Amino acid sequence: MVKDVATPSPQRGFLDQVLSPPTLSIPRRNLYGRSKEREQMVQAYDRVCQQQSSSATKSSERPKSELIAILGDSGIGKTALAHSLYWDVDRCRNGQGFFVSGKFGQMQRPEPYEGFVEAFTQFVEIVQDRENGVANVRQAMMENGIDLEREGKMLSDTIPAMEHILVIQEPQESVGDPAVTQQTSVGDGNLQSKYIPNECSAAALRFKHVFRSFIQAVTSPSYPLVLVMDDLHWADEASLELLRFLLEDSLLENVLFVVTFRSDMTENIKKLSAFSSNLVESSINVTDINIEALECMDIQVLLGKELRMDQDEATNLALCIHKHTGGNGFHVWEVLRFIHKQNILQYDLGHCDCDLESVEQLLTEIGDMDRLVLSKLAGIPEHVLELIKIASCLGSKVDPEILQYFDSQPIETVLKQATINDTFVHDEKRNSWSFAHDVVQETIYKRMIEPGERVGFHYRIGRKLWRALDEEKLGDFIIPVLGQLLIASDLWDDERERIAVARLCLSAGLKGVSLSTFRTALFYLHKGIVLLGPDAWEDNYELWLELHSAAAEVASSLGDHISTYEHAETVVKHANSFHDTLRASTARIRALGNRGDHRQAVDECLEFLEKLGIEISLKPSKASVALKWWMLLRRLKSRSNESILRLPDMTNPEHLAAMQVLNLMFVGAGFASDEMSPLIPLKMIQLTLDHGLSSVSCVGFALLGYVMAGMGRDPDEGYRFGQLGFAIYERFAARAFLARLTALYFDGIHCWKHPAREMFGSLWNAYRVGLETGDVEFALLCAGLPSLSKFDIEPLPLVDKEMGNDRERMVLHQQFSFDLITRPVQQSAQNLMGRSDDPTILRGEVFDDELAKKAEQEMHPAHFWAKTHEVLLCCLFEKYTKAKECAAVSMEIPKRDYGPLHSSVATFACAFAHVADARERKQRHAARMAKRGSQTLYRWSLHSSENYLGKHLLLEAELAALRHEKSTVVKYKTAIAVLRQGHYLLYLALANERLALYLHETGNVNDSKPYFRDALAVYEEWGALAKVNQLTAKIHQMIK
């Protein structure tokens, strides 16, 4: 939240241009015929201002930001209506809110986020005008966890004006930082491009998260933000994705988004429908406003109130104007300005005279409004008219850098001549130029360039720019250049020119990738493929291969699986060598994994690896796996970490491709074949030892450590290899792998040497880096591991809140598998907090019957987690028969290597249930099973006493009580002391309860009372209200 800022000065520049003609003094805040629409907008703004967050508010009920979508024809008054909210920001918030606006142009440079850049340039100007504004914004950003140097640089690289707020010391990656290590040259035939679309996608994702955090930091109920995105139908894909990301973020509050959309073009309606359909599942409140033309009465009221016309004169003039303009707001203003300029309408000091007959005669002679707009061009020199025509082909925004190539005179001089006649307008503060209105640009284009000449006109513009621009400038303007050339593709009769334009399409595609505008990139790559023709692999092999390989990679990043498969299949079918298929094939494998088709992805990985000479069996025997592991470990035993770090770098492309495929494969292998999973790290380590280190080797050694340390096989060696993974990560600065490296290390390795509490900060950092680098799957795993691990050591309301936030992130990023894993644990917390009629039944708002059935059918990890927590709940509420039944499934968790921390919960819960079963039914087998679980926890405690010793000691006390040993009370007290020191609330409360019950049952009633009190106090501290009520009722029953 930004505090103590002064009232902003009115933003006269863009408001004056939108709301009042320069020759008539009409107050900018007055709108006519829009009272209903204005009321809807003000109500939405008031709701945004009133929103308050509450930690106790359920996420599903928490207020969100709002969206107003204004739809209407060109010139109807959409922008004027949207900008009228400025006065409500100033009035309702005493100048403490923010109103910013950005407009998208029809023909843009390739750089994304045009409208956002314009809007937040205005934001910076507002902040600079306020007392202590910059300091307050910086403070708010830091309080929201934004790194002003690294993440601030990311913002300023995209929005240069942000440099006035931030202190930038070192260059960092930005959203537009190309992940292109060797980009295709625009002007020559070099086609050896190497780039990683996933890293470019990560840059876009990184920017979205940082930008979202920035908006969260600077807004609050006291400082709401109104963000107007004008002409959204022209927005680039990256801007639409960013806007959609912000709108779907349930944590973003106190922002009113206002977008304007044209309804008079079919493609715009389709684009709006596509945009809106993606918001259907979102809970954001959307206000749709479809504005119509002004009624005759609206014009009459305007004339009477603003020009002081008497009623009859205003009525007659309004009828005349409405007849000729149809109530189009822009044309109404144009008529008033025109007749005022012709001295037919005279307005001075609040008095107005008008010759109605002359108005009617003049408008009748003009005939239509297009001719009225063009009448302003009378007397303009021919060369200026030609430049205006060229500008109309390039969109509503005027770019002097492009137009300078079409006139020999200084471009500023020419532009000023067009400004005198109100064709162009100049924003002196930002030194930007544009047409006075979209209607002006469109009218000039359709009336001054004959339909039969337009294709040729575009072709000449494109060729002129293509020839005039040097290689660097062509890279900057490649999208506008290609836009002109592709319109005229029917005019190309030269084969060499067609191939040259296909090369430009490749360059434009790579430019789009580097700027994270992937749909634009894929559009131009497809255009290049079409230009080459179906048999281009025979005549233009290198260009053909590059276009299809790049298209496969980009389509994979977009989640366009069909396009990915088509391009990959084409490459595999016609490539000259297996090496030439590597990029397209790995893109297809990645697409399969992203789609969740893990079995097919694994099958293709195996086929791909087989071509590289690497054979892995889908269903290997346990003996063969054990033998291969023995041979690898024997080989590693003689190698220190230092000697491994001295290995040379891996350089062979096929070996590097194999490492990448194995890295993609290990997640899917867990779903496709448990038997095969251990072979993945084995092969990665073998490749590393035989052929050198690569950045992916850090994942291989982390996997090796995870398997070695998992379930206590060899925690010391596992820890060693985990440390080696981080050393390799440091050597290669492999940030792209930090999330998965951290998840593997802290889920299965770190806890053998350190307390579980120490991992939380590192996991959160890895989560942020994972989002930045595009490894969303493991980023969210890093975010979710802390709340899963906090279940037994932190208050349950806090755990419930954190899990709710984790699940919102998972749903936002469509990581439904991880979301399902979290649900039974959160439901268990809610049951204990008293949100269930029967706390032993693990069903409720979070985890219902349908989800439970889905998890069981798929043998999903969530099924085993659910059974583990059912065991816990049944033990806590003394439903021991059901606990034993669930324990049979719960014990699969340790067998499936879900990590020692999680396995220790299942091991303890099942062993405790077996003790209870042995106590109630006098079964020796159950006692032996309980003893086995206790011994497992003892072995683990030798490596990490804080994480496992307390659970082991509590089980030993339970077994001693079962055997009526004299040392039973001492063992309980020892367990209580250890658990209190580790602050394990669940087990500490349970140990006190069990000791109290033992003392009471053995006749030591008075000795039991302090432990009953301690048990209730710890359960209450833990937040287990249902358990507090159950134990309290039991104590009262025992007293009776």
Side-chain angles (χ1 to χ4, degrees):
M1 162 190 329
V2 182
K3 302 176 181 178
D4 302 327
V5 287
T7 303
S9 58
Q11 303 171 32
R12 296 182 178 275
F14 64 87
L15 287 170
D16 279 335
Q17 295 171 14
V18 169
L19 299 180
S20 63
T23 53
L24 294 175
S25 178
I26 305 296
R28 291 169 287 155
R29 69 181 71 189
N30 293 346
L31 289 179
Y32 294 91
R34 305 291 182 230
S35 57
K36 179 182 176 181
E37 293 85 352
R38 280 277 302 142
E39 183 179 359
Q40 290 178 281
M41 295 175 67
V42 171
Q43 288 175 353
Y45 179 68
D46 288 342
R47 289 193 296 270
V48 166
C49 295
Q50 294 166 3
Q51 292 175 8
Q52 299 284 345
S53 298
S54 171
S55 58
T57 303
K58 294 182 180 179
S59 60
S60 60
E61 299 173 354
R62 193 164 54 227
K64 310 293 191 300
S65 297
E66 297 204 18
L67 169 67
I68 297 175
I70 302 176
L71 187 67
D73 294 347
S74 178
I76 208 70
K78 303 182 296 296
T79 302
L81 179 61
H83 283 203
S84 69
L85 270 175
Y86 170 82
W87 304 107
D88 298 288
V89 174
D90 193 46
R91 170 181 55 82
C92 297
R93 310 315 308 166
N94 296 319
Q96 294 179 336
F98 299 99
F99 179 97
V100 294
S101 172
K103 179 180 173 66
F104 294 98
Q106 184 176 358
M107 295 289 291
Q108 309 153 15
R109 289 192 180 190
E111 289 80 5
Y113 310 117
E114 177 187 24
F116 285 97
V117 172
E118 182 178 339
F120 282 88
T121 298
Q122 295 172 13
F123 176 88
V124 172
E125 293 168 356
I126 295 171
V127 169
Q128 288 179 305
D129 287 342
R130 296 181 176 182
E131 184 180 355
N132 299 322
V134 171
N136 290 327
V137 168
R138 285 171 55 83
Q139 181 64 29
M141 292 173 69
M142 290 187 289
E143 289 176 356
N144 211 50
I146 298 175
D147 185 328
L148 293 185
E149 292 186 17
R150 183 171 60 84
E151 295 175 326
K153 183 64 165 62
M154 205 178 299
L155 290 171
S156 65
D157 280 350
T158 304
I159 307 170
M162 289 292 291
E163 289 183 353
H164 298 297
I165 293 177
L166 305 163
V167 176
I168 310 300
Q169 295 182 355
E170 297 180 4
Q172 300 284 345
E173 296 180 272
S174 73
V175 65
D177 182 40
V180 180
T181 57
Q182 185 179 346
Q183 183 172 318
T184 298
S185 173
V186 174
D188 60 28
N190 175 19
L191 299 173
Q192 301 303 313
S193 67
K194 290 175 62 180
Y195 58 96
I196 306 173
N198 271 7
E199 292 186 6
C200 299
S201 179
L205 185 62
R206 177 164 64 249
F207 175 75
K208 286 194 289 188
H209 280 273
V210 173
F211 190 70
R212 186 267 313 275
S213 297
F214 168 71
I215 294 179
Q216 284 179 322
V218 300
T219 56
S220 72
S222 300
Y223 298 86
L225 168 68
V226 175
L227 175 59
V228 177
M229 294 281 95
D230 202 7
D231 286 347
L232 193 66
H233 45 275
W234 301 129
D236 57 279
E237 60 171 286
S239 295
L240 289 175
E241 287 296 327
L242 176 58
L243 181 59
R244 188 179 296 114
F245 176 81
L246 296 173
L247 290 170
E248 292 176 346
D249 185 353
S250 60
L251 301 178
L252 191 63
E253 303 174 3
N254 312 120
V255 182
L256 178 59
F257 298 91
V258 183
V259 301
T260 69
F261 231 104
R262 281 179 57 170
S263 61
D264 52 353
M265 295 170 64
T266 304
E267 57 267 32
N268 290 344
I269 295 295
K270 292 179 179 177
K271 195 170 185 178
L272 177 61
S273 299
F275 179 77
S276 300
S277 65
N278 287 318
L279 296 175
V280 170
E281 300 299 325
S282 172
S283 57
I284 189 169
N285 186 30
V286 180
T287 301
D288 291 312
I289 298 178
N290 195 337
I291 60 175
E292 304 292 342
L294 296 172
E295 298 289 342
C296 185
M297 178 64 70
D298 301 324
I299 303 174
Q300 176 188 336
V301 172
L302 182 154
L303 296 173
K305 185 173 181 180
E306 302 296 349
L307 302 185
R308 303 292 192 271
M309 281 188 172
D310 60 50
Q311 184 173 356
D312 291 340
E313 190 175 18
T315 299
N316 292 330
L317 181 57
L319 287 169
C320 176
I321 292 176
H322 190 272
K323 181 178 73 172
H324 289 279
T325 64
N328 180 284
F330 172 78
H331 290 143
V332 169
W333 282 118
E334 285 297 297
V335 167
L336 290 174
R337 295 171 67 178
F338 183 70
I339 61 178
H340 180 264
K341 189 175 182 179
Q342 298 295 321
N343 291 322
I344 299 174
L345 171 68
Q346 296 181 352
Y347 176 75
D348 184 34
L349 298 177
H351 178 71
C352 182
D353 290 319
C354 181
D355 185 345
L356 184 60
E357 292 185 5
S358 298
V359 172
E360 176 63 37
Q361 181 180 355
L362 187 60
L363 293 180
T364 302
E365 290 176 357
I366 291 175
D368 61 52
M369 290 298 103
D370 286 352
R371 292 184 61 187
L372 177 65
V373 171
L374 294 177
S375 67
K376 296 188 295 184
L377 302 178
I380 292 181
E382 189 65 31
H383 72 99
V384 178
L385 280 176
E386 187 67 16
L387 198 74
I388 292 173
K389 288 167 59 179
I390 292 170
S392 73
C393 294
L394 298 168
S396 61
K397 293 191 176 182
V398 177
D399 194 331
E401 284 193 72
I402 290 180
L403 295 181
Q404 66 180 340
Y405 294 101
F406 295 93
D407 200 294
S408 58
Q409 294 188 21
I411 191 63
E412 294 282 337
T413 303
V414 180
L415 293 176
K416 286 179 180 178
Q417 288 181 278
T419 305
I420 294 172
N421 292 71
D422 299 327
T423 303
F424 294 165
V425 292
H426 182 215
D427 184 338
E428 295 184 3
K429 187 173 185 179
R430 301 179 183 91
N431 194 28
S432 61
W433 302 78
S434 64
F435 279 92
H437 196 280
D438 290 351
V439 173
V440 176
Q441 177 257 324
E442 293 166 10
T443 301
I444 290 171
Y445 179 76
K446 70 182 182 182
R447 296 296 292 266
M448 293 187 66
I449 306 173
E450 294 296 330
E453 298 176 358
R454 288 175 193 164
V455 171
F457 200 78
H458 283 288
Y459 179 69
R460 289 192 295 275
I461 293 173
R463 282 193 61 84
K464 173 74 173 179
L465 288 172
W466 190 7
R467 291 176 176 176
L469 297 170
D470 59 30
E471 184 173 317
E472 181 180 354
K473 284 291 185 181
L474 184 55
D476 292 337
F477 294 107
I478 192 166
I479 302 300
V481 170
L482 264 180
Q484 301 299 308
L485 290 173
L486 291 176
I487 291 175
S489 58
D490 292 341
L491 301 181
W492 302 337
D493 52 9
D494 188 329
E495 178 75 8
R496 291 176 300 176
E497 184 175 58
R498 192 166 49 81
I499 294 172
V501 176
R503 292 181 190 276
L504 283 182
C505 288
L506 174 60
S507 297
L510 299 184
K511 181 79 172 181
V513 168
S514 72
L515 295 169
S516 305
T517 54
F518 297 107
R519 296 197 185 280
T520 299
L522 193 58
F523 169 81
Y524 284 110
L525 292 171
H526 281 166
K527 284 291 185 182
I529 290 169
V530 171
L531 287 172
L532 284 184
D535 300 324
W537 55 275
E538 295 178 339
D539 302 322
N540 295 282
Y541 178 78
E542 288 188 0
L543 179 57
W544 167 87
L545 177 64
E546 187 68 19
L547 282 165
H548 278 286
S549 298
E553 291 174 324
V554 174
S556 175
S557 294
L558 285 168
D560 186 348
H561 308 305
I562 294 176
S563 184
T564 302
Y565 303 151
E566 288 176 350
H567 291 296
E569 185 64 28
T570 301
V571 171
V572 170
K573 183 177 180 180
H574 297 296
N576 289 342
S577 66
F578 173 68
H579 177 269
D580 287 348
T581 68
L582 295 180
R583 287 171 57 195
S585 296
T586 52
R588 181 167 61 182
I589 291 169
R590 185 180 294 110
L592 287 168
N594 291 340
R595 192 177 67 179
D597 196 344
H598 298 293
R599 181 56 187 268
Q600 186 177 346
V602 168
D603 288 342
E604 295 214 8
C605 284
L606 293 175
E607 181 182 347
F608 187 89
L609 292 170
E610 186 177 357
K611 292 178 181 179
L612 292 171
I614 300 173
E615 295 187 6
I616 299 179
S617 173
L618 186 64
K619 296 291 183 181
S621 66
K622 291 183 178 179
S624 67
V625 173
L627 177 60
K628 290 176 181 178
W629 268 93
W630 178 81
M631 294 173 65
L632 175 65
L633 295 177
R634 184 180 179 185
R635 186 178 179 186
L636 286 169
K637 194 171 184 179
S638 61
R639 304 292 297 266
S640 65
N641 283 6
E642 291 73 18
S643 68
I644 294 173
L645 286 170
R646 288 196 295 269
L647 289 171
D649 288 354
M650 186 182 293
T651 56
N652 184 291
E654 294 186 359
H655 297 151
L656 290 168
M659 290 289 286
Q660 185 59 48
V661 169
L662 289 166
N663 175 50
L664 294 172
M665 184 180 179
F666 84 82
V667 175
F671 290 92
S673 170
D674 289 333
E675 301 93 329
M676 183 186 65
S677 295
L679 296 179
I680 307 299
L682 186 146
K683 288 297 181 183
M684 296 178 81
I685 303 308
Q686 286 178 338
L687 280 170
T688 297
L689 296 177
D690 292 339
H691 304 291
L693 288 167
S694 74
S695 59
V696 192
S697 298
C698 69
V699 179
F701 278 102
L703 273 171
L704 176 64
Y706 187 92
V707 174
M708 291 291 293
M711 301 311 301
R713 294 183 183 92
D714 192 342
D716 292 332
E717 279 294 277
Y719 188 78
R720 170 200 165 193
F721 294 128
Q723 293 293 306
L724 179 57
F726 275 102
I728 297 170
Y729 160 81
E730 293 289 345
R731 170 173 165 174
F732 288 93
R735 290 183 79 243
F737 300 112
L738 180 64
R740 59 186 57 207
L741 177 63
T742 303
L744 290 167
Y745 179 76
F746 284 99
D747 190 33
I749 301 173
H750 175 270
C751 53
W752 292 110
K753 298 289 183 181
H754 306 279
R757 298 173 185 276
E758 294 181 3
M759 70 178 179
F760 300 149
S762 298
L763 282 166
W764 183 252
N765 177 63
Y767 158 71
R768 297 185 67 173
V769 173
L771 290 182
E772 292 175 7
T773 57
D775 195 359
V776 177
E777 185 176 23
F778 278 88
L780 293 172
L781 180 57
C782 288
L785 281 174
S787 58
L788 290 173
S789 303
K790 290 177 180 178
F791 178 85
D792 51 4
I793 60 179
E794 297 281 358
L796 290 173
L798 175 63
V799 173
D800 177 49
K801 180 182 178 181
E802 287 191 12
M803 286 187 173
N805 291 338
D806 291 340
R807 288 184 43 247
E808 283 190 355
R809 296 187 193 100
M810 293 168 189
V811 172
L812 180 64
H813 295 286
Q814 300 183 348
Q815 296 294 321
F816 301 113
S817 183
F818 289 159
D819 170 56
L820 187 55
I821 291 173
T822 306
R823 284 177 178 271
V825 186
Q826 187 181 7
Q827 187 63 60
S828 179
Q830 292 187 358
N831 281 18
L832 286 163
M833 292 163 61
R835 298 186 190 174
S836 173
D837 294 334
D838 184 348
T840 65
I841 299 176
L842 196 67
R843 297 292 185 273
E845 179 184 343
V846 176
F847 191 66
D848 57 22
D849 287 328
E850 184 179 349
L851 288 172
K853 184 178 180 180
K854 170 183 171 66
E856 183 176 5
Q857 289 175 341
E858 297 177 0
M859 294 301 285
H860 193 278
H863 175 57
F864 305 108
W865 266 116
K867 290 303 178 183
T868 295
H869 279 267
E870 284 188 42
V871 175
L872 272 176
L873 292 171
C874 289
C875 287
L876 286 170
F877 294 94
E878 301 178 13
K879 300 287 185 69
Y880 295 119
T881 301
K882 183 179 177 182
K884 183 187 175 184
E885 294 172 358
C886 296
V889 179
S890 175
M891 281 308 297
E892 287 293 315
I893 283 185
K895 297 177 184 178
R896 291 172 177 259
D897 277 356
Y898 288 159
L901 285 176
H902 312 310
S903 297
S904 70
V905 176
T907 301
F908 173 85
C910 294
F912 192 91
H914 286 306
V915 173
D917 185 51
R919 183 171 56 244
E920 292 193 349
R921 299 199 294 172
K922 312 299 182 184
Q923 289 194 358
R924 293 184 179 179
H925 174 71
R928 287 196 297 270
M929 293 291 291
K931 185 64 178 177
R932 188 178 302 170
S934 177
Q935 289 172 343
T936 296
L937 290 170
Y938 170 71
R939 289 195 304 272
W940 293 2
S941 72
L942 297 177
H943 297 278
S944 179
S945 60
E946 184 165 335
N947 292 328
Y948 310 112
L949 182 59
K951 300 184 187 75
H952 159 69
L953 291 174
L954 178 52
L955 287 175
E956 285 298 304
E958 285 288 292
L959 289 167
L962 181 66
R963 296 189 291 263
H964 305 290
E965 294 178 3
K966 292 182 179 180
S967 59
T968 298
V969 174
V970 173
K971 289 187 175 183
Y972 272 122
K973 289 181 177 180
T974 303
I976 289 171
V978 172
L979 290 167
R980 181 177 289 113
Q981 184 177 4
H983 201 68
Y984 282 93
L985 297 177
L986 163 59
Y987 306 108
L988 177 59
L990 182 59
N992 277 287
E993 179 188 0
R994 293 301 303 160
L995 175 54
L997 289 170
Y998 176 79
L999 290 170
H1000 192 279
E1001 290 168 1
T1002 56
N1004 299 297
V1005 177
N1006 290 331
D1007 291 342
S1008 70
K1009 292 179 181 179
Y1011 295 103
F1012 275 127
R1013 284 196 295 269
D1014 286 349
L1016 287 170
V1018 178
Y1019 278 131
E1020 187 172 358
E1021 180 186 355
W1022 190 36
L1025 179 62
K1027 178 60 185 175
V1028 171
N1029 294 337
Q1030 181 264 347
L1031 183 55
T1032 301
K1034 181 168 184 171
I1035 293 171
H1036 289 164
Q1037 184 66 31
M1038 292 169 66
I1039 293 173
K1040 290 181 181 179

